[in-house]
Amino acid sequence: MSISSAKTPTGCAADSSDSPLAETERLLLRQVTNADLPTLLELLGNLDVMRFSVTGPLVPLQVAQVLSKILQSYHEAPLALWGVVEKAERRLIGLCGFLPRKIEECVEWELAYRFLPAVWGQGLATEATIACRELAFQQRPVSQIISLIEPANVASIRVAEKTGLVFRESLQLESLPVLKYVLTRQEGRLIEGR
């Protein structure tokens, strides 16, 4: 899959929330804004969406705090969570991107996503995660990306594998058993070159 990216003269992804960071056949990835709060309330407050989350569904105050952290991350980190917009409808349908995760005294970048149930089963999560993978390795200074997935979350395991991540180990995340999937920059370049 090939993505097109909005660029600034310095070659980095554009900072404007109006400019897409990446575009796929069906999706746009862009920064989220305060105007996205209603969709984020629907998304992060949904029991089905948050089934495999250590927090479970979030209440409105928690969603507002998550949004604030995402907005802050755009200024502080090389990677972040971005809004996923369905091009045909021009509507926000989820989040996809990266969370910093401290594992054994090392900060790693976890590929994470959440989508509204109405768009599940259409391959949109894989399309978005591949675009994020390409952004991470083409435009950001990261050596590898990871996914931490509960063993029962078969759909997310499939998305990780389709995105090119490979199972490396089982570990505990906040006393929860998870599977760690990994893709290095070098492996990512090989995938992109196909």
Side-chain angles (χ1 to χ4, degrees):
M1 171 183 301
S2 177
I3 62 168
S4 59
S5 301
K7 304 269 187 168
T8 63
T10 62
C12 296
D15 288 329
S16 169
S17 61
D18 294 334
S19 300
L21 291 149
E23 181 174 351
T24 69
E25 182 180 334
R26 300 178 290 172
L27 304 172
L28 298 171
L29 288 156
R30 64 161 174 81
Q31 291 185 356
V32 295
T33 68
N34 285 318
D36 294 319
L37 184 58
T39 302
L40 295 179
L41 289 167
E42 179 183 355
L43 179 71
L44 301 177
N46 185 294
L47 181 61
D48 292 328
V49 171
M50 301 300 283
R51 177 177 170 210
F52 293 106
S53 168
V54 293
T55 64
L58 303 181
V59 298
L61 177 60
Q62 291 172 306
V63 175
Q65 291 169 338
V66 167
L67 177 57
S68 178
K69 287 180 183 177
I70 293 170
L71 295 173
Q72 185 177 353
S73 74
Y74 295 147
H75 304 287
E76 298 176 352
L79 296 172
L81 282 175
W82 299 298
V84 181
V85 175
E86 189 177 39
K87 283 167 53 172
E89 301 292 325
R90 301 300 268 188
R91 66 183 173 109
L92 184 70
I93 58 169
L95 296 171
C96 189
F98 298 91
L99 299 170
R101 187 71 75 175
K102 191 170 185 178
I103 300 175
E104 296 176 4
E105 304 304 315
C106 182
V107 175
E108 302 205 52
W109 291 102
E110 181 185 4
L111 179 59
Y113 59 89
R114 300 272 188 245
F115 285 87
L116 293 171
V119 299
W120 289 1
Q122 300 175 34
L124 296 174
T126 300
E127 193 170 322
T129 57
I130 289 171
C132 286
R133 176 197 74 201
E134 292 182 12
L135 280 170
F137 292 143
Q138 292 175 5
Q139 300 178 19
R140 305 294 195 268
V142 297
S143 60
Q144 72 177 23
I145 58 175
I146 67 169
S147 276
L148 301 174
I149 307 168
E150 288 183 50
N153 192 346
V154 176
S156 286
I157 290 170
R158 282 196 306 265
V159 170
E161 291 172 345
K162 288 178 184 178
T163 305
L165 285 84
V166 177
F167 172 75
R168 292 287 163 84
E169 65 180 313
S170 297
L171 51 91
Q172 295 288 119
L173 174 67
E174 300 179 35
S175 72
L176 185 69
V178 295
L179 307 174
K180 181 179 179 182
Y181 282 74
V182 178
L183 181 68
T184 66
R185 176 181 289 277
Q186 183 177 2
E187 293 164 339
R189 286 185 176 151
L190 291 174
I191 291 170
E192 292 168 11
R194 290 183 194 161

Tab-separated table of all heavy atoms in Angstrom, residues 28 76 190:
chain	number	residue	atom	x	y	z
A	28	LEU	N	-8.217	9.173	5.573
A	28	LEU	CA	-7.289	10.264	5.847
A	28	LEU	C	-6.870	10.144	7.301
A	28	LEU	O	-7.700	9.866	8.165
A	28	LEU	CB	-7.959	11.626	5.642
A	28	LEU	CG	-8.464	11.978	4.257
A	28	LEU	CD1	-9.286	13.261	4.307
A	28	LEU	CD2	-7.302	12.125	3.294
A	76	GLU	N	4.992	17.399	21.729
A	76	GLU	CA	6.037	16.849	22.586
A	76	GLU	C	6.674	15.562	22.088
A	76	GLU	O	7.715	15.171	22.598
A	76	GLU	CB	5.467	16.599	23.987
A	76	GLU	CG	4.993	17.856	24.671
A	76	GLU	CD	4.337	17.578	26.012
A	76	GLU	OE1	4.109	16.398	26.350
A	76	GLU	OE2	4.054	18.559	26.723
A	190	LEU	N	11.713	-3.366	4.250
A	190	LEU	CA	11.586	-4.514	3.357
A	190	LEU	C	10.138	-4.701	2.915
A	190	LEU	O	9.859	-4.980	1.762
A	190	LEU	CB	12.102	-5.788	4.037
A	190	LEU	CG	13.607	-5.846	4.283
A	190	LEU	CD1	13.960	-7.087	5.102
A	190	LEU	CD2	14.376	-5.832	2.964
